[in-house]
Amino acid sequence: GSRSHIGITGYGAMVGVHLEDDDAVLTTTSGYPTDRTVFGAFGLDAAVEVGPDATLFAEVAATDRLSAKAMAVIVRAVWERKPWELDVSARYLGDDFDNPHARGISMSDQWMGNTDRGEIGLRADASWKPAKWIRLRLGQDVWRAARWNDPSPTASNPAEKTHLWRNETYLRVDGYPFKWWTVGAYGLFRDNDLETSGWTWTDPNGDDEGLDYGYNGEQWRVGAQTSFIPLKWMRLDLNYQVKFFHDAKLSLEKKLQKGHYTYIKIGVKPVHWLTVSAR
């Protein structure tokens, strides 16, 4: 079928760090593997049509470590039948899957100093367009992430990883009242750590015991955007977003932080081979 395929990919790389100190090592936050200078990855991916409305995708990859913890597997199914679209995927990326040149969902995920992906998760996205002038979207992602217990290990205290659950829920409504005008509103809830914040903070009053705030990592975002096409060669976009979040580094009293974000973008296409935009 037109949507079916099979592919193979791979690469090899070598990193040289020229330092006078032979005992120098890269930190755990390095974007490259910290225990070897030659590394690489290879993988196999495929897609197959399952009837006229559904497609299955799968990809298996491994790094040069050649172990189960250094492998990644992603399985995805997409079903489309108007007015519905459904996209469901499951993923496993081992704790040692340190592939700095990975793409898409397999890219490094720096979290508490850990750049290895180290993730197990399930994601679902649904879209419903009951009429040509409106579309509803709902997304849910739950995954287990890996992070360093201590991003600055020593010989007597080597780096170890712990696993924490994270969540993201997304809801969006888009309206298309006219061909030249679209409007949308969305809300997002994200919890970077469902069990504990992972942060410790010393009380400014002299308490040497680190304080661990469970609220850290939670955030809520709500926003709206609209687009206008007053002329065939001009487009105007307006976006406004409010972000609410807990951050123990900013608020020892667990106060809710708030940020406002807005932008205006205009684009013009005076001739068919040139587009100019400003934001």
Side-chain angles (χ1 to χ4, degrees):
S2 60
R3 301 193 304 274
S4 300
H5 76 266
I6 186 168
I8 186 171
T9 184
Y11 79 92
M14 180 173 65
V15 174
V17 181
H18 301 282
L19 298 174
E20 295 181 359
D21 185 358
D22 294 336
D23 296 326
V25 296
L26 297 174
T27 68
T28 54
T29 58
S30 169
Y32 295 97
T34 59
D35 59 350
R36 60 201 189 282
T37 58
V38 179
F39 60 92
F42 60 93
L44 180 70
D45 67 281
V48 60
E49 293 183 22
V50 184
D53 303 321
T55 308
L56 298 179
F57 304 85
E59 183 171 1
V60 180
T63 66
D64 57 280
R65 293 178 184 270
L66 295 177
S67 68
K69 287 188 176 182
M71 295 187 64
V73 180
I74 298 177
V75 180
R76 179 180 172 218
V78 178
W79 178 77
E80 298 175 280
R81 177 179 293 177
K82 293 183 179 180
W84 294 94
E85 294 181 9
L86 182 63
D87 188 333
V88 179
S89 62
R91 61 192 184 273
Y92 163 80
L93 300 105
D95 282 357
D96 295 333
F97 188 74
D98 52 354
N99 183 9
H101 298 306
R103 56 182 172 77
I105 201 171
S106 302
M107 293 176 66
S108 59
D109 181 26
Q110 182 163 322
W111 175 241
M112 292 299 293
N114 174 34
T115 54
D116 303 345
R117 190 65 182 189
E119 185 172 307
I120 298 175
L122 180 65
R123 180 184 179 93
D125 294 281
S127 173
W128 179 43
K129 193 173 183 180
K132 65 179 182 179
W133 54 271
I134 189 172
R135 180 192 295 271
L136 304 177
R137 302 176 185 176
L138 175 64
Q140 179 65 56
D141 194 5
V142 179
W143 69 101
R144 190 193 72 171
R147 67 142 216 241
W148 294 111
N149 280 331
D150 184 355
S152 303
T154 62
S156 60
N157 182 29
E160 295 182 354
K161 293 178 182 177
T162 187
H163 299 87
L164 302 168
W165 286 95
R166 302 165 76 177
N167 169 79
E168 183 173 289
T169 304
Y170 179 75
L171 176 64
R172 183 183 179 96
V173 180
D174 288 294
Y176 313 91
F178 304 100
K179 291 183 178 181
W180 53 270
W181 177 33
T182 63
V183 62
Y186 57 90
L188 179 145
F189 169 74
R190 183 181 178 107
D191 193 338
N192 285 336
D193 191 338
L194 297 180
E195 297 178 357
T196 176
S197 73
W199 290 100
T200 57
W201 193 259
T202 302
D203 192 303
N205 295 325
D207 183 2
D208 293 331
E209 295 183 3
L211 303 178
D212 196 6
Y213 291 105
Y215 289 108
N216 191 45
E218 295 181 6
Q219 61 176 258
W220 297 261
R221 298 186 188 188
V222 292
Q225 66 183 59
T226 185
S227 299
F228 299 93
I229 307 178
L231 301 170
K232 291 184 178 180
W233 49 272
M234 178 182 292
R235 179 185 177 96
L236 179 65
D237 297 293
L238 308 175
N239 185 290
Y240 175 71
Q241 180 186 110
V242 183
K243 176 182 175 183
F244 305 90
F245 59 98
H246 287 284
D247 192 337
K249 297 183 70 176
L250 297 177
S251 174
L252 295 176
E253 295 81 18
K254 302 182 182 179
K255 291 183 179 179
L256 193 67
Q257 309 297 316
K258 182 168 65 173
H260 300 269
Y261 306 85
T262 184
Y263 73 81
I264 300 174
K265 180 180 179 180
I266 184 172
V268 295
K269 194 171 185 178
V271 290
H272 71 277
W273 49 270
L274 178 65
T275 299
V276 181
S277 62
R279 174 168 165 171

